mmCIF file of all heavy atoms in Angstrom:
data_model
loop_
_atom_site.group_PDB
_atom_site.id
_atom_site.type_symbol
_atom_site.label_atom_id
_atom_site.label_comp_id
_atom_site.label_asym_id
_atom_site.label_seq_id
_atom_site.Cartn_x
_atom_site.Cartn_y
_atom_site.Cartn_z
ATOM 1 N N PRO A 275 108.432 84.847 110.594
ATOM 2 C CA PRO A 275 108.353 84.390 109.123
ATOM 3 C C PRO A 275 108.413 85.431 108.173
ATOM 4 O O PRO A 275 109.076 85.252 107.023
ATOM 5 C CB PRO A 275 107.153 83.530 109.094
ATOM 6 C CG PRO A 275 106.182 84.115 110.194
ATOM 7 C CD PRO A 275 107.146 84.567 111.282
ATOM 8 N N THR A 276 107.791 86.484 108.370
ATOM 9 C CA THR A 276 107.768 87.636 107.385
ATOM 10 C C THR A 276 109.180 88.160 107.181
ATOM 11 O O THR A 276 109.612 88.326 106.005
ATOM 12 C CB THR A 276 106.868 88.765 107.859
ATOM 13 O OG1 THR A 276 105.515 88.271 108.036
ATOM 14 C CG2 THR A 276 106.844 89.927 106.763
ATOM 15 N N GLU A 277 109.952 88.423 108.153
ATOM 16 C CA GLU A 277 111.340 88.878 108.084
ATOM 17 C C GLU A 277 112.114 87.930 107.422
ATOM 18 O O GLU A 277 113.110 88.178 106.467
ATOM 19 C CB GLU A 277 111.927 89.247 109.503
ATOM 20 C CG GLU A 277 113.201 89.943 109.446
ATOM 21 C CD GLU A 277 113.548 90.379 110.878
ATOM 22 O OE1 GLU A 277 113.025 90.000 111.903
ATOM 23 O OE2 GLU A 277 114.623 91.087 110.857
ATOM 24 N N LYS A 278 112.045 86.566 107.757
ATOM 25 C CA LYS A 278 112.836 85.524 107.112
ATOM 26 C C LYS A 278 112.581 85.429 105.649
ATOM 27 O O LYS A 278 113.444 85.272 104.798
ATOM 28 C CB LYS A 278 112.682 84.244 107.941
ATOM 29 C CG LYS A 278 113.234 84.269 109.275
ATOM 30 C CD LYS A 278 112.916 82.948 109.940
ATOM 31 C CE LYS A 278 113.595 83.054 111.352
ATOM 32 N NZ LYS A 278 113.353 81.782 112.116
ATOM 33 N N ASN A 279 111.270 85.614 105.224
ATOM 34 C CA ASN A 279 110.886 85.484 103.937
ATOM 35 C C ASN A 279 111.461 86.659 103.026
ATOM 36 O O ASN A 279 111.910 86.611 101.901
ATOM 37 C CB ASN A 279 109.425 85.515 103.737
ATOM 38 C CG ASN A 279 108.759 84.224 104.111
ATOM 39 O OD1 ASN A 279 109.440 83.190 104.075
ATOM 40 N ND2 ASN A 279 107.530 84.335 104.621
ATOM 41 N N ILE A 280 111.485 87.948 103.674
ATOM 42 C CA ILE A 280 112.094 88.982 103.009
ATOM 43 C C ILE A 280 113.583 88.772 102.659
ATOM 44 O O ILE A 280 114.038 89.006 101.549
ATOM 45 C CB ILE A 280 111.921 90.356 103.744
ATOM 46 C CG1 ILE A 280 110.488 90.715 103.766
ATOM 47 C CG2 ILE A 280 112.701 91.412 103.241
ATOM 48 C CD1 ILE A 280 110.093 91.826 104.669
ATOM 49 N N PHE A 281 114.361 88.341 103.703
ATOM 50 C CA PHE A 281 115.747 88.023 103.533
ATOM 51 C C PHE A 281 116.033 86.939 102.566
ATOM 52 O O PHE A 281 116.931 86.991 101.659
ATOM 53 C CB PHE A 281 116.419 87.823 104.921
ATOM 54 C CG PHE A 281 116.857 88.926 105.478
ATOM 55 C CD1 PHE A 281 116.104 89.456 106.504
ATOM 56 C CD2 PHE A 281 118.058 89.579 105.218
ATOM 57 C CE1 PHE A 281 116.481 90.613 107.274
ATOM 58 C CE2 PHE A 281 118.515 90.760 105.912
ATOM 59 C CZ PHE A 281 117.662 91.240 106.927
ATOM 60 N N THR A 282 115.113 85.821 102.633
ATOM 61 C CA THR A 282 115.259 84.743 101.649
ATOM 62 C C THR A 282 115.128 85.222 100.233
ATOM 63 O O THR A 282 115.924 84.807 99.337
ATOM 64 C CB THR A 282 114.162 83.669 102.004
ATOM 65 O OG1 THR A 282 114.518 83.244 103.302
ATOM 66 C CG2 THR A 282 114.396 82.388 101.081
ATOM 67 N N LEU A 283 114.092 85.987 99.826
ATOM 68 C CA LEU A 283 113.749 86.518 98.562
ATOM 69 C C LEU A 283 114.861 87.370 98.106
ATOM 70 O O LEU A 283 115.215 87.406 96.938
ATOM 71 C CB LEU A 283 112.477 87.161 98.497
ATOM 72 C CG LEU A 283 111.116 86.231 98.681
ATOM 73 C CD1 LEU A 283 109.899 87.096 98.619
ATOM 74 C CD2 LEU A 283 111.050 85.247 97.657
ATOM 75 N N PHE A 284 115.283 88.174 98.975
ATOM 76 C CA PHE A 284 116.554 89.096 98.674
ATOM 77 C C PHE A 284 117.741 88.302 98.281
ATOM 78 O O PHE A 284 118.324 88.639 97.188
ATOM 79 C CB PHE A 284 116.862 89.954 99.832
ATOM 80 C CG PHE A 284 118.038 90.949 99.686
ATOM 81 C CD1 PHE A 284 117.834 92.106 99.013
ATOM 82 C CD2 PHE A 284 119.276 90.499 100.069
ATOM 83 C CE1 PHE A 284 118.920 92.941 98.738
ATOM 84 C CE2 PHE A 284 120.504 91.339 99.753
ATOM 85 C CZ PHE A 284 120.175 92.599 99.165
ATOM 86 N N MET A 285 118.076 87.242 99.010
ATOM 87 C CA MET A 285 119.188 86.472 98.676
ATOM 88 C C MET A 285 119.024 85.704 97.334
ATOM 89 O O MET A 285 119.889 85.509 96.555
ATOM 90 C CB MET A 285 119.495 85.538 99.680
ATOM 91 C CG MET A 285 119.993 86.124 101.014
ATOM 92 S SD MET A 285 121.518 87.058 100.967
ATOM 93 C CE MET A 285 122.609 85.757 101.316
ATOM 94 N N VAL A 286 117.671 85.212 97.059
ATOM 95 C CA VAL A 286 117.480 84.549 95.889
ATOM 96 C C VAL A 286 117.578 85.554 94.743
ATOM 97 O O VAL A 286 118.107 85.148 93.636
ATOM 98 C CB VAL A 286 115.926 84.023 95.884
ATOM 99 C CG1 VAL A 286 115.470 83.503 94.483
ATOM 100 C CG2 VAL A 286 115.916 82.840 96.852
ATOM 101 N N VAL A 287 117.037 86.774 94.774
ATOM 102 C CA VAL A 287 117.171 87.655 93.690
ATOM 103 C C VAL A 287 118.543 88.000 93.288
ATOM 104 O O VAL A 287 119.058 88.065 92.228
ATOM 105 C CB VAL A 287 116.346 89.007 94.025
ATOM 106 C CG1 VAL A 287 116.661 90.103 93.023
ATOM 107 C CG2 VAL A 287 114.871 88.685 94.068
ATOM 108 N N THR A 288 119.429 88.255 94.468
ATOM 109 C CA THR A 288 120.912 88.625 94.158
ATOM 110 C C THR A 288 121.517 87.420 93.549
ATOM 111 O O THR A 288 122.376 87.596 92.704
ATOM 112 C CB THR A 288 121.527 89.030 95.425
ATOM 113 O OG1 THR A 288 121.217 88.022 96.548
ATOM 114 C CG2 THR A 288 121.061 90.316 95.979
ATOM 115 N N ALA A 289 121.279 86.149 93.878
ATOM 116 C CA ALA A 289 121.834 85.009 93.303
ATOM 117 C C ALA A 289 121.416 84.924 91.954
ATOM 118 O O ALA A 289 122.310 84.702 91.067
ATOM 119 C CB ALA A 289 121.426 83.772 93.988
ATOM 120 N N CYS A 290 120.241 85.216 91.413
ATOM 121 C CA CYS A 290 119.740 85.208 90.145
ATOM 122 C C CYS A 290 120.495 86.285 89.217
ATOM 123 O O CYS A 290 120.932 86.050 88.208
ATOM 124 C CB CYS A 290 118.277 85.539 89.953
ATOM 125 S SG CYS A 290 117.272 84.104 90.684
ATOM 126 N N VAL A 291 120.715 87.498 89.857
ATOM 127 C CA VAL A 291 121.476 88.549 89.123
ATOM 128 C C VAL A 291 122.933 88.118 88.900
ATOM 129 O O VAL A 291 123.557 88.266 87.855
ATOM 130 C CB VAL A 291 121.469 89.931 90.036
ATOM 131 C CG1 VAL A 291 122.374 90.912 89.324
ATOM 132 C CG2 VAL A 291 119.943 90.371 89.963
ATOM 133 N N CYS A 292 123.515 87.475 89.914
ATOM 134 C CA CYS A 292 124.998 86.927 89.806
ATOM 135 C C CYS A 292 125.018 85.895 88.645
ATOM 136 O O CYS A 292 125.978 85.835 87.980
ATOM 137 C CB CYS A 292 125.384 86.336 91.134
ATOM 138 S SG CYS A 292 125.815 87.597 92.375
ATOM 139 N N ILE A 293 124.029 84.984 88.575
ATOM 140 C CA ILE A 293 123.927 84.030 87.535
ATOM 141 C C ILE A 293 123.952 84.628 86.259
ATOM 142 O O ILE A 293 124.758 84.243 85.198
ATOM 143 C CB ILE A 293 122.810 83.078 87.680
ATOM 144 C CG1 ILE A 293 122.938 82.244 88.929
ATOM 145 C CG2 ILE A 293 122.672 82.171 86.404
ATOM 146 C CD1 ILE A 293 121.627 81.473 89.292
ATOM 147 N N VAL A 294 123.188 85.686 86.085
ATOM 148 C CA VAL A 294 123.010 86.419 84.740
ATOM 149 C C VAL A 294 124.352 87.095 84.336
ATOM 150 O O VAL A 294 124.805 87.014 83.264
ATOM 151 C CB VAL A 294 121.855 87.335 84.768
ATOM 152 C CG1 VAL A 294 121.964 88.258 83.577
ATOM 153 C CG2 VAL A 294 120.561 86.732 84.829
ATOM 154 N N LEU A 295 124.935 87.693 85.450
ATOM 155 C CA LEU A 295 126.258 88.374 85.276
ATOM 156 C C LEU A 295 127.313 87.438 84.757
ATOM 157 O O LEU A 295 128.041 87.637 83.943
ATOM 158 C CB LEU A 295 126.746 89.105 86.499
ATOM 159 C CG LEU A 295 125.979 90.410 86.733
ATOM 160 C CD1 LEU A 295 126.394 91.025 88.073
ATOM 161 C CD2 LEU A 295 126.248 91.544 85.615
ATOM 162 N N SER A 296 127.407 86.175 85.350
ATOM 163 C CA SER A 296 128.316 85.255 85.060
ATOM 164 C C SER A 296 128.177 84.733 83.666
ATOM 165 O O SER A 296 129.118 84.565 82.840
ATOM 166 C CB SER A 296 128.410 83.999 86.085
ATOM 167 O OG SER A 296 128.642 84.428 87.252
ATOM 168 N N LEU A 297 126.866 84.575 83.093
ATOM 169 C CA LEU A 297 126.703 84.035 81.880
ATOM 170 C C LEU A 297 127.058 85.146 80.937
ATOM 171 O O LEU A 297 127.506 84.831 79.839
ATOM 172 C CB LEU A 297 125.162 83.665 81.721
ATOM 173 C CG LEU A 297 124.760 82.374 82.527
ATOM 174 C CD1 LEU A 297 123.339 82.063 82.483
ATOM 175 C CD2 LEU A 297 125.627 81.134 82.249
ATOM 176 N N ILE A 298 126.670 86.402 81.130
ATOM 177 C CA ILE A 298 127.053 87.531 80.253
ATOM 178 C C ILE A 298 128.506 87.569 80.205
ATOM 179 O O ILE A 298 129.120 87.669 79.052
ATOM 180 C CB ILE A 298 126.428 88.698 80.788
ATOM 181 C CG1 ILE A 298 124.861 88.649 80.683
ATOM 182 C CG2 ILE A 298 127.060 89.954 79.997
ATOM 183 C CD1 ILE A 298 124.251 89.951 81.227
ATOM 184 N N GLU A 299 129.218 87.474 81.271
ATOM 185 C CA GLU A 299 130.625 87.524 81.205
ATOM 186 C C GLU A 299 131.286 86.387 80.350
ATOM 187 O O GLU A 299 132.321 86.554 79.641
ATOM 188 C CB GLU A 299 131.261 87.560 82.633
ATOM 189 C CG GLU A 299 132.728 87.862 82.664
ATOM 190 C CD GLU A 299 133.401 87.927 84.072
ATOM 191 O OE1 GLU A 299 132.658 87.600 85.116
ATOM 192 O OE2 GLU A 299 134.451 88.293 84.219
ATOM 193 N N ALA A 300 130.748 85.167 80.604
ATOM 194 C CA ALA A 300 131.273 84.069 79.863
ATOM 195 C C ALA A 300 130.962 84.283 78.322
ATOM 196 O O ALA A 300 131.874 83.983 77.433
ATOM 197 C CB ALA A 300 130.489 82.865 80.179
ATOM 198 N N ALA A 301 129.819 84.828 77.878
ATOM 199 C CA ALA A 301 129.636 85.099 76.466
ATOM 200 C C ALA A 301 130.459 86.130 75.946
ATOM 201 O O ALA A 301 131.075 85.983 74.773
ATOM 202 C CB ALA A 301 128.123 85.544 76.231
ATOM 203 N N TYR A 302 130.760 87.189 76.874
ATOM 204 C CA TYR A 302 131.767 88.234 76.444
ATOM 205 C C TYR A 302 133.181 87.677 76.214
ATOM 206 O O TYR A 302 133.843 88.091 75.343
ATOM 207 C CB TYR A 302 131.677 89.366 77.507
ATOM 208 C CG TYR A 302 132.837 90.414 77.419
ATOM 209 C CD1 TYR A 302 132.756 91.399 76.485
ATOM 210 C CD2 TYR A 302 133.927 90.283 78.246
ATOM 211 C CE1 TYR A 302 133.890 92.328 76.370
ATOM 212 C CE2 TYR A 302 135.041 91.196 78.165
ATOM 213 C CZ TYR A 302 134.926 92.181 77.137
ATOM 214 O OH TYR A 302 135.924 93.006 77.120
ATOM 215 N N LEU A 303 133.546 86.842 77.166
ATOM 216 C CA LEU A 303 134.865 86.267 77.066
ATOM 217 C C LEU A 303 135.025 85.359 75.776
ATOM 218 O O LEU A 303 136.042 85.477 75.187
ATOM 219 C CB LEU A 303 135.191 85.408 78.349
ATOM 220 C CG LEU A 303 136.549 85.014 78.637
ATOM 221 C CD1 LEU A 303 137.360 86.244 78.993
ATOM 222 C CD2 LEU A 303 136.632 84.015 79.827
#
């Protein structure tokens, strides 16, 4: 469970960063 939790949180954080980048790019566009 510990290893799986680490990978889950990593994927969640990267997804959040991607959301922010997409919104910033939309505002820039």
Side-chain angles (χ1 to χ4, degrees):
T276 302
E277 189 174 9
K278 291 177 180 178
N279 285 333
I280 291 173
F281 273 97
T282 301
L283 292 177
F284 178 82
M285 298 295 274
V286 167
V287 170
T288 53
C290 290
V291 174
C292 286
I293 293 171
V294 172
L295 283 174
S296 295
L297 295 178
I298 291 175
E299 188 177 9
Y302 167 78
L303 196 68

